[in-house]
Amino acid sequence: MLVSLFNRGRLLVNKREAVLGSSKTQLLVHGYCTSNETKISTEEDSFTVNYLVHSCGLSLESAKSVSHKVQLKFPERADSFLNLLKKYGFNNAQISKIVRSHPLLLVSDAEKTVLPKLEFLRSTGLMHSDLTKFISIQTSVLFRSLEGAIIPNYNFLRSVLLRHDLVVKAMMRSRLFEQDVQRITAPNISLLRGIGVPQASIVRLLKVYPSVLCSSIEKLEKKVKKAVDMGFSPKEMKFLPALWAFSLKESTWQRKSEAYKMWGLSEDDVLLAFKKEPLCMLLSEKKITDGMEFFVNQMNLRPLVIAECPNMLFFSLNKTIVPRCSVIKILQSKGLIKNDISLYYVFRMVEKQFIDNYVIKHQKCLPQLLDVFQGKVSLHDPGFNSKDVQGLKC
């Protein structure tokens, strides 16, 4: 109702004053007044800015900007809205974000328009912390119709995911509640089911890659064709991240491709890596470059080895790759382990398993191995300048 009235006011050709609410309205949406019509006084403008700063936690600069979108004449409705948010556990930072994003909520009838939505979302099983996080991220949900959008969206997700807890997870990870799922998401899911994507993959798509379902069906059809033409099977899990990767802009795809090619990989090699693990094209250019630099220059791996196992790039360089490779390289230089060890296998180990198998096991002959693993001793310190190790594989 609030948005409808606001939009109607914006369409007035003669720029007449747009008023939201009753005759006792707290809001004047300005920018539509002629010189002969009522103007906002300096006192009212000052009141709005002060309220936004002291009651909503906005900075002075932000408050001045927001005051161009909303003018408060009376504090009652705004107080009611803020008190409702606090009652539901919203912290000051979340409240400030909501007000900055949608200041018109300050003049809404919170008990009639906002409370029912919060009550419904709470009834879906969202805990206090999840509810406040969900709303502060998807603030426009508070503007959407409860009966016309929020409830139908929830019911649709429930019909697809079947389990209540999965619906909650999907709500927390996606912006599906901000769109018309019946018009956009439902046809996309029907398309995927029609080409053989199994239910388990549909569920994973909603949980992990929900943005794939937020585009038009025409765009999704193009992504599907591209994935199938590259050899991805709709029945395989790799099909999903491939669709997600195809959401990248062409310029972004090219930059990431060049980040691989600068290490000597060809276009075919990059496509090989993508087919092995589509998520490799969703890594940042810095992560690609840093990882390739370490494996090629520090571990003497051929770039093609990484293209054949791009999953190695997914691990944290400082927390996993460098510490474990430092230990592995020393052990290999001393002939304590084979040169053809799988680094990917090493990276996947839980930390305790790695320490037990590769650190503690060899501490008698290499007392400083734990210090190397913990970064207290560098490979380049005296006594640890190991020879180049060839033959490493993933």
Side-chain angles (χ1 to χ4, degrees), residues 122-179:
R122 172 73 64 78
S123 74
T124 65
L126 284 173
M127 302 300 289
H128 268 295
S129 58
D130 289 337
L131 175 61
T132 57
K133 180 180 178 181
F134 174 69
I135 294 297
S136 61
I137 293 174
Q138 305 188 48
T139 53
S140 65
V141 168
L142 295 180
F143 266 117
R144 304 214 67 195
S145 166
L146 178 62
E147 299 293 337
I150 297 176
I151 293 177
N153 283 6
Y154 174 82
N155 289 339
F156 174 78
L157 289 176
R158 184 65 184 266
S159 71
V160 176
L161 296 173
L162 303 179
R163 285 170 39 193
H164 175 75
D165 60 316
L166 295 181
V167 175
V168 172
K169 288 180 181 179
M171 289 169 60
M172 295 301 298
R173 288 185 59 88
S174 73
R175 305 187 77 89
L176 291 174
F177 265 63
E178 293 185 328
Q179 67 175 359

Short mmCIF file of all heavy atoms in Angstrom, two decimals, residues 122-179:
data_model
loop_
_atom_site.label_atom_id
_atom_site.label_comp_id
_atom_site.label_asym_id
_atom_site.label_seq_id
_atom_site.Cartn_x
_atom_site.Cartn_y
_atom_site.Cartn_z
N ARG A 122 8.47 -15.30 11.52
CA ARG A 122 8.84 -15.99 12.75
C ARG A 122 8.17 -17.38 12.78
O ARG A 122 8.78 -18.36 13.21
CB ARG A 122 8.40 -15.17 13.96
CG ARG A 122 8.56 -15.87 15.30
CD ARG A 122 10.01 -15.99 15.73
NE ARG A 122 10.57 -14.68 15.96
CZ ARG A 122 10.34 -13.94 17.05
NH1 ARG A 122 9.54 -14.38 18.00
NH2 ARG A 122 10.90 -12.76 17.18
N SER A 123 6.94 -17.45 12.29
CA SER A 123 6.22 -18.72 12.31
C SER A 123 6.82 -19.76 11.37
O SER A 123 6.56 -20.95 11.51
CB SER A 123 4.75 -18.50 11.94
OG SER A 123 4.61 -18.25 10.54
N THR A 124 7.64 -19.31 10.41
CA THR A 124 8.27 -20.27 9.49
C THR A 124 9.42 -21.01 10.15
O THR A 124 9.95 -21.96 9.57
CB THR A 124 8.82 -19.55 8.24
OG1 THR A 124 9.89 -18.67 8.62
CG2 THR A 124 7.73 -18.76 7.53
N GLY A 125 9.82 -20.58 11.34
CA GLY A 125 10.90 -21.26 12.03
C GLY A 125 12.18 -20.46 12.09
O GLY A 125 13.19 -20.95 12.63
N LEU A 126 12.16 -19.25 11.55
CA LEU A 126 13.35 -18.40 11.63
C LEU A 126 13.59 -17.98 13.08
O LEU A 126 12.71 -17.43 13.72
CB LEU A 126 13.18 -17.15 10.76
CG LEU A 126 13.34 -17.32 9.25
CD1 LEU A 126 12.97 -16.03 8.54
CD2 LEU A 126 14.76 -17.72 8.89
N MET A 127 14.77 -18.27 13.59
CA MET A 127 15.12 -17.85 14.95
C MET A 127 15.34 -16.34 14.96
O MET A 127 15.44 -15.70 13.92
CB MET A 127 16.38 -18.58 15.40
CG MET A 127 16.26 -20.10 15.38
SD MET A 127 14.94 -20.72 16.45
CE MET A 127 15.67 -20.38 18.05
N HIS A 128 15.44 -15.77 16.16
CA HIS A 128 15.62 -14.32 16.29
C HIS A 128 16.78 -13.83 15.43
O HIS A 128 16.63 -12.89 14.64
CB HIS A 128 15.90 -13.95 17.75
CG HIS A 128 14.67 -13.62 18.53
ND1 HIS A 128 13.87 -12.53 18.25
CD2 HIS A 128 14.08 -14.25 19.58
CE1 HIS A 128 12.85 -12.49 19.08
NE2 HIS A 128 12.95 -13.52 19.90
N SER A 129 17.94 -14.47 15.56
CA SER A 129 19.13 -14.01 14.84
C SER A 129 18.97 -14.16 13.34
O SER A 129 19.40 -13.31 12.56
CB SER A 129 20.37 -14.78 15.32
OG SER A 129 20.20 -16.18 15.14
N ASP A 130 18.35 -15.28 12.91
CA ASP A 130 18.15 -15.50 11.47
C ASP A 130 17.12 -14.53 10.91
O ASP A 130 17.29 -14.02 9.79
CB ASP A 130 17.69 -16.94 11.21
CG ASP A 130 18.80 -17.96 11.43
OD1 ASP A 130 19.98 -17.56 11.36
OD2 ASP A 130 18.48 -19.14 11.67
N LEU A 131 16.08 -14.26 11.67
CA LEU A 131 15.04 -13.35 11.21
C LEU A 131 15.60 -11.94 11.01
O LEU A 131 15.36 -11.31 9.98
CB LEU A 131 13.89 -13.31 12.22
CG LEU A 131 12.77 -12.29 11.94
CD1 LEU A 131 12.10 -12.60 10.61
CD2 LEU A 131 11.75 -12.29 13.07
N THR A 132 16.35 -11.47 11.98
CA THR A 132 16.90 -10.11 11.86
C THR A 132 17.93 -10.03 10.73
O THR A 132 17.99 -9.03 10.02
CB THR A 132 17.55 -9.69 13.19
OG1 THR A 132 18.57 -10.63 13.56
CG2 THR A 132 16.51 -9.60 14.30
N LYS A 133 18.71 -11.09 10.56
CA LYS A 133 19.68 -11.10 9.48
C LYS A 133 18.98 -11.13 8.13
O LYS A 133 19.35 -10.41 7.20
CB LYS A 133 20.59 -12.33 9.62
CG LYS A 133 21.66 -12.44 8.53
CD LYS A 133 22.52 -13.68 8.73
CE LYS A 133 23.55 -13.81 7.62
NZ LYS A 133 24.39 -15.03 7.78
N PHE A 134 17.95 -11.95 8.03
CA PHE A 134 17.18 -12.08 6.79
C PHE A 134 16.56 -10.74 6.39
O PHE A 134 16.69 -10.30 5.24
CB PHE A 134 16.08 -13.13 6.98
CG PHE A 134 15.12 -13.25 5.83
CD1 PHE A 134 15.53 -13.77 4.62
CD2 PHE A 134 13.80 -12.85 5.97
CE1 PHE A 134 14.63 -13.88 3.56
CE2 PHE A 134 12.90 -12.96 4.93
CZ PHE A 134 13.33 -13.48 3.71
N ILE A 135 15.93 -10.06 7.32
CA ILE A 135 15.27 -8.79 7.03
C ILE A 135 16.28 -7.69 6.73
O ILE A 135 16.08 -6.87 5.82
CB ILE A 135 14.37 -8.35 8.20
CG1 ILE A 135 13.20 -9.33 8.37
CG2 ILE A 135 13.83 -6.94 7.96
CD1 ILE A 135 12.26 -9.40 7.18
N SER A 136 17.38 -7.66 7.46
CA SER A 136 18.36 -6.59 7.24
C SER A 136 19.06 -6.74 5.89
O SER A 136 19.55 -5.77 5.32
CB SER A 136 19.41 -6.58 8.36
OG SER A 136 20.13 -7.79 8.42
N ILE A 137 19.09 -7.96 5.36
CA ILE A 137 19.68 -8.20 4.03
C ILE A 137 18.64 -7.96 2.95
O ILE A 137 18.91 -7.36 1.91
CB ILE A 137 20.24 -9.63 3.92
CG1 ILE A 137 21.45 -9.79 4.85
CG2 ILE A 137 20.66 -9.93 2.48
CD1 ILE A 137 21.99 -11.20 4.90
N GLN A 138 17.43 -8.46 3.19
CA GLN A 138 16.36 -8.34 2.20
C GLN A 138 15.28 -7.39 2.73
O GLN A 138 14.14 -7.79 2.95
CB GLN A 138 15.78 -9.72 1.89
CG GLN A 138 16.82 -10.72 1.43
CD GLN A 138 16.22 -12.02 0.94
OE1 GLN A 138 15.28 -12.03 0.14
NE2 GLN A 138 16.76 -13.14 1.39
N THR A 139 15.67 -6.15 2.90
CA THR A 139 14.78 -5.16 3.53
C THR A 139 13.50 -4.93 2.75
O THR A 139 12.47 -4.59 3.32
CB THR A 139 15.51 -3.83 3.71
OG1 THR A 139 16.07 -3.42 2.46
CG2 THR A 139 16.63 -3.96 4.72
N SER A 140 13.54 -5.12 1.43
CA SER A 140 12.34 -4.85 0.63
C SER A 140 11.22 -5.84 0.93
O SER A 140 10.07 -5.60 0.55
CB SER A 140 12.68 -4.90 -0.86
OG SER A 140 13.09 -6.18 -1.26
N VAL A 141 11.53 -6.93 1.63
CA VAL A 141 10.49 -7.89 2.01
C VAL A 141 9.42 -7.20 2.85
O VAL A 141 8.22 -7.53 2.74
CB VAL A 141 11.12 -9.08 2.79
CG1 VAL A 141 10.03 -9.92 3.45
CG2 VAL A 141 11.96 -9.94 1.87
N LEU A 142 9.82 -6.23 3.65
CA LEU A 142 8.85 -5.53 4.50
C LEU A 142 7.90 -4.67 3.68
O LEU A 142 6.87 -4.22 4.19
CB LEU A 142 9.58 -4.66 5.53
CG LEU A 142 10.42 -5.41 6.57
CD1 LEU A 142 11.09 -4.44 7.52
CD2 LEU A 142 9.54 -6.41 7.34
N PHE A 143 8.22 -4.42 2.42
CA PHE A 143 7.33 -3.67 1.54
C PHE A 143 6.42 -4.57 0.72
O PHE A 143 5.45 -4.11 0.14
CB PHE A 143 8.15 -2.79 0.58
CG PHE A 143 8.37 -1.40 1.07
CD1 PHE A 143 9.65 -0.94 1.35
CD2 PHE A 143 7.31 -0.54 1.26
CE1 PHE A 143 9.86 0.35 1.79
CE2 PHE A 143 7.50 0.76 1.71
CZ PHE A 143 8.78 1.20 1.98
N ARG A 144 6.75 -5.86 0.66
CA ARG A 144 5.98 -6.77 -0.19
C ARG A 144 4.69 -7.19 0.50
O ARG A 144 4.59 -7.21 1.73
CB ARG A 144 6.81 -8.00 -0.54
CG ARG A 144 8.15 -7.66 -1.19
CD ARG A 144 8.54 -8.71 -2.21
NE ARG A 144 7.65 -8.72 -3.34
CZ ARG A 144 7.59 -9.72 -4.22
NH1 ARG A 144 8.35 -10.78 -4.07
NH2 ARG A 144 6.77 -9.67 -5.25
N SER A 145 3.73 -7.56 -0.30
CA SER A 145 2.44 -7.99 0.23
C SER A 145 2.58 -9.34 0.94
O SER A 145 3.18 -10.27 0.40
CB SER A 145 1.43 -8.11 -0.91
OG SER A 145 0.27 -8.83 -0.50
N LEU A 146 2.03 -9.42 2.13
CA LEU A 146 2.08 -10.68 2.87
C LEU A 146 1.28 -11.76 2.16
O LEU A 146 1.78 -12.86 1.91
CB LEU A 146 1.55 -10.47 4.29
CG LEU A 146 1.48 -11.72 5.18
CD1 LEU A 146 2.88 -12.30 5.39
CD2 LEU A 146 0.84 -11.39 6.52
N GLU A 147 0.03 -11.44 1.81
CA GLU A 147 -0.84 -12.43 1.18
C GLU A 147 -0.50 -12.65 -0.29
O GLU A 147 -0.65 -13.75 -0.82
CB GLU A 147 -2.31 -11.98 1.30
CG GLU A 147 -2.81 -11.82 2.72
CD GLU A 147 -2.88 -13.15 3.45
OE1 GLU A 147 -2.96 -14.19 2.77
OE2 GLU A 147 -2.83 -13.13 4.70
N GLY A 148 -0.03 -11.57 -0.95
CA GLY A 148 0.21 -11.68 -2.39
C GLY A 148 1.61 -12.11 -2.79
O GLY A 148 1.83 -12.50 -3.93
N ALA A 149 2.57 -12.05 -1.85
CA ALA A 149 3.95 -12.38 -2.23
C ALA A 149 4.66 -13.25 -1.20
O ALA A 149 5.15 -14.33 -1.53
CB ALA A 149 4.75 -11.09 -2.45
N ILE A 150 4.73 -12.80 0.04
CA ILE A 150 5.54 -13.50 1.03
C ILE A 150 5.04 -14.91 1.30
O ILE A 150 5.81 -15.89 1.23
CB ILE A 150 5.60 -12.69 2.34
CG1 ILE A 150 6.28 -11.34 2.09
CG2 ILE A 150 6.36 -13.47 3.42
CD1 ILE A 150 6.30 -10.42 3.30
N ILE A 151 3.76 -15.05 1.60
CA ILE A 151 3.21 -16.38 1.88
C ILE A 151 3.26 -17.28 0.65
O ILE A 151 3.69 -18.44 0.74
CB ILE A 151 1.76 -16.27 2.42
CG1 ILE A 151 1.79 -15.61 3.81
CG2 ILE A 151 1.10 -17.64 2.51
CD1 ILE A 151 0.41 -15.39 4.42
N PRO A 152 2.86 -16.81 -0.56
CA PRO A 152 2.97 -17.66 -1.75
C PRO A 152 4.42 -18.09 -2.03
O PRO A 152 4.66 -19.23 -2.44
CB PRO A 152 2.43 -16.77 -2.87
CG PRO A 152 1.49 -15.84 -2.19
CD PRO A 152 2.13 -15.56 -0.86
N ASN A 153 5.38 -17.19 -1.83
CA ASN A 153 6.78 -17.54 -2.05
C ASN A 153 7.23 -18.64 -1.09
O ASN A 153 7.91 -19.59 -1.48
CB ASN A 153 7.67 -16.31 -1.87
CG ASN A 153 7.63 -15.39 -3.07
OD1 ASN A 153 6.86 -15.59 -4.00
ND2 ASN A 153 8.45 -14.36 -3.05
N TYR A 154 6.83 -18.50 0.17
CA TYR A 154 7.20 -19.52 1.15
C TYR A 154 6.56 -20.86 0.79
O TYR A 154 7.22 -21.91 0.82
CB TYR A 154 6.77 -19.11 2.56
CG TYR A 154 7.00 -20.20 3.58
CD1 TYR A 154 8.26 -20.37 4.14
CD2 TYR A 154 5.97 -21.06 3.95
CE1 TYR A 154 8.49 -21.39 5.05
CE2 TYR A 154 6.19 -22.08 4.86
CZ TYR A 154 7.46 -22.25 5.41
OH TYR A 154 7.68 -23.26 6.30
N ASN A 155 5.28 -20.84 0.45
CA ASN A 155 4.57 -22.08 0.12
C ASN A 155 5.17 -22.76 -1.11
O ASN A 155 5.25 -23.99 -1.17
CB ASN A 155 3.08 -21.80 -0.10
CG ASN A 155 2.36 -21.47 1.19
OD1 ASN A 155 2.83 -21.80 2.28
ND2 ASN A 155 1.23 -20.78 1.08
N PHE A 156 5.60 -21.95 -2.07
CA PHE A 156 6.22 -22.53 -3.27
C PHE A 156 7.54 -23.22 -2.92
O PHE A 156 7.79 -24.35 -3.34
CB PHE A 156 6.47 -21.46 -4.33
CG PHE A 156 7.23 -21.97 -5.52
CD1 PHE A 156 6.59 -22.71 -6.49
CD2 PHE A 156 8.59 -21.73 -5.64
CE1 PHE A 156 7.29 -23.22 -7.58
CE2 PHE A 156 9.31 -22.21 -6.72
CZ PHE A 156 8.65 -22.97 -7.69
N LEU A 157 8.37 -22.54 -2.14
CA LEU A 157 9.64 -23.14 -1.73
C LEU A 157 9.40 -24.41 -0.93
O LEU A 157 10.13 -25.40 -1.08
CB LEU A 157 10.46 -22.14 -0.90
CG LEU A 157 11.05 -20.95 -1.67
CD1 LEU A 157 11.75 -20.01 -0.70
CD2 LEU A 157 12.02 -21.42 -2.74
N ARG A 158 8.38 -24.39 -0.11
CA ARG A 158 8.06 -25.58 0.69
C ARG A 158 7.63 -26.74 -0.21
O ARG A 158 7.98 -27.91 0.02
CB ARG A 158 6.95 -25.25 1.69
CG ARG A 158 6.59 -26.38 2.66
CD ARG A 158 7.75 -26.72 3.56
NE ARG A 158 7.44 -27.86 4.42
CZ ARG A 158 6.95 -27.75 5.66
NH1 ARG A 158 6.72 -26.55 6.17
NH2 ARG A 158 6.73 -28.81 6.39
N SER A 159 6.91 -26.42 -1.28
CA SER A 159 6.44 -27.47 -2.20
C SER A 159 7.59 -28.09 -2.99
O SER A 159 7.52 -29.25 -3.41
CB SER A 159 5.41 -26.91 -3.18
OG SER A 159 6.01 -26.03 -4.12
N VAL A 160 8.67 -27.33 -3.19
CA VAL A 160 9.83 -27.83 -3.93
C VAL A 160 10.82 -28.52 -3.01
O VAL A 160 11.30 -29.63 -3.30
CB VAL A 160 10.54 -26.68 -4.69
CG1 VAL A 160 11.81 -27.20 -5.37
CG2 VAL A 160 9.60 -26.07 -5.72
N LEU A 161 11.12 -27.89 -1.89
CA LEU A 161 12.14 -28.40 -0.98
C LEU A 161 11.60 -29.44 0.00
O LEU A 161 12.37 -30.21 0.59
CB LEU A 161 12.77 -27.24 -0.20
CG LEU A 161 13.53 -26.22 -1.07
CD1 LEU A 161 13.96 -25.03 -0.24
CD2 LEU A 161 14.73 -26.87 -1.72
N LEU A 162 10.27 -29.42 0.19
CA LEU A 162 9.56 -30.40 1.01
C LEU A 162 9.81 -30.25 2.51
O LEU A 162 8.90 -30.34 3.31
CB LEU A 162 9.91 -31.84 0.57
CG LEU A 162 9.64 -32.15 -0.91
CD1 LEU A 162 10.06 -33.58 -1.23
CD2 LEU A 162 8.18 -31.92 -1.25
N ARG A 163 11.06 -30.03 2.89
CA ARG A 163 11.40 -29.94 4.31
C ARG A 163 11.47 -28.48 4.77
O ARG A 163 12.05 -27.64 4.10
CB ARG A 163 12.72 -30.64 4.60
CG ARG A 163 12.63 -32.14 4.61
CD ARG A 163 14.00 -32.79 4.65
NE ARG A 163 14.95 -32.09 5.52
CZ ARG A 163 16.26 -32.35 5.51
NH1 ARG A 163 16.75 -33.24 4.66
NH2 ARG A 163 17.07 -31.69 6.33
N HIS A 164 10.89 -28.24 5.94
CA HIS A 164 10.83 -26.89 6.48
C HIS A 164 12.22 -26.30 6.71
O HIS A 164 12.47 -25.13 6.40
CB HIS A 164 10.05 -26.93 7.80
CG HIS A 164 10.02 -25.62 8.52
ND1 HIS A 164 9.22 -24.57 8.12
CD2 HIS A 164 10.70 -25.18 9.61
CE1 HIS A 164 9.40 -23.54 8.94
NE2 HIS A 164 10.29 -23.89 9.84
N ASP A 165 13.15 -27.10 7.23
CA ASP A 165 14.49 -26.58 7.52
C ASP A 165 15.23 -26.18 6.25
O ASP A 165 16.01 -25.23 6.25
CB ASP A 165 15.31 -27.60 8.31
CG ASP A 165 15.49 -28.90 7.56
OD1 ASP A 165 14.51 -29.40 6.97
OD2 ASP A 165 16.62 -29.44 7.56
N LEU A 166 14.96 -26.89 5.14
CA LEU A 166 15.60 -26.54 3.87
C LEU A 166 15.04 -25.24 3.32
O LEU A 166 15.77 -24.46 2.69
CB LEU A 166 15.40 -27.67 2.85
CG LEU A 166 16.07 -29.01 3.17
CD1 LEU A 166 15.81 -30.01 2.06
CD2 LEU A 166 17.58 -28.82 3.36
N VAL A 167 13.76 -25.00 3.56
CA VAL A 167 13.15 -23.74 3.13
C VAL A 167 13.81 -22.57 3.86
O VAL A 167 14.15 -21.55 3.25
CB VAL A 167 11.63 -23.73 3.41
CG1 VAL A 167 11.03 -22.37 3.06
CG2 VAL A 167 10.94 -24.82 2.60
N VAL A 168 14.03 -22.72 5.15
CA VAL A 168 14.66 -21.67 5.94
C VAL A 168 16.07 -21.39 5.43
O VAL A 168 16.49 -20.24 5.28
CB VAL A 168 14.70 -22.06 7.43
CG1 VAL A 168 15.53 -21.06 8.24
CG2 VAL A 168 13.28 -22.14 8.00
N LYS A 169 16.83 -22.45 5.11
CA LYS A 169 18.19 -22.28 4.59
C LYS A 169 18.17 -21.55 3.25
O LYS A 169 19.00 -20.69 2.99
CB LYS A 169 18.87 -23.65 4.44
CG LYS A 169 19.24 -24.29 5.76
CD LYS A 169 19.91 -25.64 5.55
CE LYS A 169 20.27 -26.29 6.89
NZ LYS A 169 20.90 -27.61 6.70
N ALA A 170 17.20 -21.91 2.40
CA ALA A 170 17.09 -21.26 1.10
C ALA A 170 16.74 -19.78 1.27
O ALA A 170 17.25 -18.92 0.55
CB ALA A 170 16.03 -21.96 0.24
N MET A 171 15.88 -19.48 2.22
CA MET A 171 15.51 -18.09 2.49
C MET A 171 16.73 -17.28 2.92
O MET A 171 16.91 -16.14 2.51
CB MET A 171 14.45 -18.05 3.59
CG MET A 171 13.08 -18.54 3.18
SD MET A 171 11.98 -18.77 4.60
CE MET A 171 11.93 -17.10 5.28
N MET A 172 17.58 -17.89 3.73
CA MET A 172 18.74 -17.18 4.26
C MET A 172 19.82 -16.96 3.21
O MET A 172 20.60 -16.02 3.30
CB MET A 172 19.34 -17.96 5.44
CG MET A 172 18.42 -18.05 6.65
SD MET A 172 17.95 -16.43 7.31
CE MET A 172 19.57 -15.80 7.78
N ARG A 173 19.87 -17.82 2.19
CA ARG A 173 20.96 -17.75 1.23
C ARG A 173 20.59 -17.04 -0.07
O ARG A 173 21.45 -16.79 -0.90
CB ARG A 173 21.45 -19.17 0.88
CG ARG A 173 22.22 -19.85 1.98
CD ARG A 173 22.77 -21.18 1.49
NE ARG A 173 23.65 -20.99 0.34
CZ ARG A 173 24.95 -20.76 0.44
NH1 ARG A 173 25.52 -20.67 1.63
NH2 ARG A 173 25.69 -20.61 -0.64
N SER A 174 19.32 -16.77 -0.28
CA SER A 174 18.93 -16.21 -1.57
C SER A 174 18.05 -14.98 -1.40
O SER A 174 17.61 -14.66 -0.31
CB SER A 174 18.16 -17.26 -2.38
OG SER A 174 16.86 -17.46 -1.85
N ARG A 175 17.78 -14.33 -2.54
CA ARG A 175 16.90 -13.17 -2.55
C ARG A 175 15.59 -13.53 -3.27
O ARG A 175 14.94 -12.68 -3.86
CB ARG A 175 17.59 -12.00 -3.26
CG ARG A 175 18.94 -11.65 -2.66
CD ARG A 175 19.53 -10.41 -3.25
NE ARG A 175 18.91 -9.20 -2.73
CZ ARG A 175 19.33 -8.56 -1.64
NH1 ARG A 175 20.38 -8.99 -0.98
NH2 ARG A 175 18.72 -7.47 -1.23
N LEU A 176 15.24 -14.81 -3.17
CA LEU A 176 14.03 -15.28 -3.84
C LEU A 176 12.78 -14.58 -3.33
O LEU A 176 11.81 -14.40 -4.06
CB LEU A 176 13.89 -16.80 -3.68
CG LEU A 176 14.93 -17.66 -4.41
CD1 LEU A 176 14.77 -19.12 -4.04
CD2 LEU A 176 14.78 -17.48 -5.92
N PHE A 177 12.79 -14.18 -2.06
CA PHE A 177 11.59 -13.55 -1.49
C PHE A 177 11.38 -12.14 -2.02
O PHE A 177 10.35 -11.53 -1.80
CB PHE A 177 11.70 -13.52 0.04
CG PHE A 177 11.03 -14.70 0.69
CD1 PHE A 177 11.47 -15.98 0.45
CD2 PHE A 177 9.93 -14.52 1.51
CE1 PHE A 177 10.86 -17.08 1.04
CE2 PHE A 177 9.30 -15.61 2.10
CZ PHE A 177 9.77 -16.89 1.87
N GLU A 178 12.37 -11.61 -2.73
CA GLU A 178 12.23 -10.27 -3.28
C GLU A 178 11.71 -10.30 -4.72
O GLU A 178 11.64 -9.26 -5.36
CB GLU A 178 13.58 -9.56 -3.23
CG GLU A 178 14.04 -9.28 -1.82
CD GLU A 178 15.31 -8.45 -1.76
OE1 GLU A 178 16.16 -8.58 -2.67
OE2 GLU A 178 15.46 -7.69 -0.81
N GLN A 179 11.39 -11.48 -5.22
CA GLN A 179 10.87 -11.55 -6.58
C GLN A 179 9.61 -12.41 -6.62
O GLN A 179 9.23 -13.02 -5.62
CB GLN A 179 11.93 -12.14 -7.52
CG GLN A 179 12.25 -13.60 -7.26
CD GLN A 179 13.20 -14.15 -8.30
OE1 GLN A 179 13.59 -13.48 -9.22
NE2 GLN A 179 13.58 -15.40 -8.14
#
